[in-house]
Amino acid sequence: MTVASVMKPFRVLSDAPRSPLVAASMLGADFSRLGEEANDVMQAGCNLLHLDVMDGHFVPNLTMGPDLVAGLRRSCPDVCLDTHLMVQYPEGLIEPFVQAGSDHLTIHVEAEHPQGDPRVTADLIRQAGATAGLAINPGTPIDAILPYASDFELLLVMSVQPGFAGQSFRSEVLTKTEALSLAVPNGVRIQMDGGVAPVNADACRAAGCDVLVAASAIFRADDRRAAVESIRGPVAEPES
Ligand code: DX5
Ligand code: ZN
């Protein structure tokens, strides 16, 4: 897949055949050369850029704001910017991030939502012009996300406790992922995020994930292209 073929977020998330997509988490990049790093991982074969936004409350870390997203948008005009909001109150951040260039926003089921309903936040995301995802932490039971399985374009299963790159993959989330992939309607992407690497990517894909996020395994690889290809695994042939 070329960079030009990932221009539209809806196309990225709904493209057929549903080959696995690889998202580079910019948390692993050299922040003194962000634009250069973003273009490098896209040239290495990534399909989208994953931007980890942390508020210091929902998670004990502070990372990226809308200005940084706007800068990345200028560096990569045609790339899908997948923005992962690890924030307690996502509602007020939707408009600033979409205005800055985010194509897709993922919110957490554990965060605060208007009327206590993440579907209300999803509607606000779509009204702002982006697609919506719902994330679940490793310790949260699957029942928390199942009622919303058909209300989001993407479901994100966290395979580390969110907050930092470079943590070890928690393989116990694979059972939850398998159950989720059987429950979601066709067309809903399932994303895995945290400690994803060539050594566990097969298991993630076998459990039903078709969007794999990685920071350390891509940015720290000696051969980024080989790392991306290994995480993606076999690509489905188009049906004739
Ligand atoms: C963790 C973030 C992840 C993280 C992944 O809170 O949501 O996207 O950057 O980093 P690695 O791949 O190094 O675990
Ligand atoms: Zn993330």
Side-chain angles (χ1 to χ4, degrees):
M1 186 175 284
T2 62
V3 172
S5 70
V6 296
M7 287 179 73
K8 294 292 172 208
F10 279 100
R11 228 171 102 198
V12 171
L13 293 171
S14 62
D15 239 357
R18 295 175 63 76
S19 295
L21 302 175
V22 179
S25 160
M26 292 305 294
L27 212 48
D30 176 348
F31 273 31
S32 70
R33 303 184 297 114
L34 265 190
E36 202 181 311
E37 288 273 76
N39 278 299
D40 187 69
V41 290
M42 291 307 294
Q43 288 300 328
C46 287
N47 305 100
L48 46 157
L49 295 176
H50 181 87
L51 310 178
D52 288 303
V53 175
M54 305 186 188
D55 66 351
H57 295 281
F58 186 77
V59 290
N61 197 1
L62 280 168
T63 53
M64 309 171 180
D67 286 349
L68 189 145
V69 174
L72 276 172
R73 173 50 78 217
R74 288 195 295 277
S75 296
C76 305
D78 298 331
V79 170
C80 177
L81 300 181
D82 158 28
T83 306
H84 178 189
L85 294 179
M86 286 159 278
V87 304
Q88 195 65 35
Y89 300 99
E91 184 186 354
L93 293 174
I94 293 168
E95 203 62 48
F97 276 105
V98 175
Q99 288 299 319
S102 293
D103 299 295
H104 172 89
L105 294 182
T106 290
I107 53 173
H108 268 260
V109 72
E110 300 88 356
E112 303 286 338
H113 299 286
Q115 300 158 45
D117 189 340
R119 290 172 294 196
V120 179
T121 314
D123 285 343
L124 296 172
I125 291 172
R126 294 194 191 97
Q127 281 163 26
T131 49
L134 187 62
I136 181 167
N137 282 339
T140 305
I142 189 174
D143 291 352
I145 202 172
L146 277 178
Y148 312 118
S150 51
D151 298 307
F152 288 81
E153 282 78 30
L154 177 148
L155 300 175
L156 165 53
V157 180
M158 288 303 301
S159 38
V160 299
Q161 187 60 25
F164 300 92
Q167 303 181 69
S168 298
F169 182 77
R170 292 174 60 162
S171 57
E172 72 268 21
V173 304
L174 290 170
T175 314
K176 185 160 75 177
T177 310
E178 262 171 46
L180 197 57
S181 72
L182 294 174
V184 300
N186 273 342
V188 176
R189 289 272 185 185
I190 299 188
Q191 187 176 53
M192 187 76 89
D193 181 14
V196 173
V199 70
N200 53 42
D202 283 353
C204 297
R205 283 185 262 100
C209 288
D210 55 6
V211 189
L212 299 162
V213 178
S216 312
I218 294 174
F219 284 99
R220 302 217 175 142
D222 291 333
D223 183 340
R224 289 178 173 178
R225 174 169 290 279
V228 171
E229 281 173 13
S230 167
I231 291 169
R232 182 178 2 259
V235 175
E237 292 297 324
E239 283 172 25
S240 52

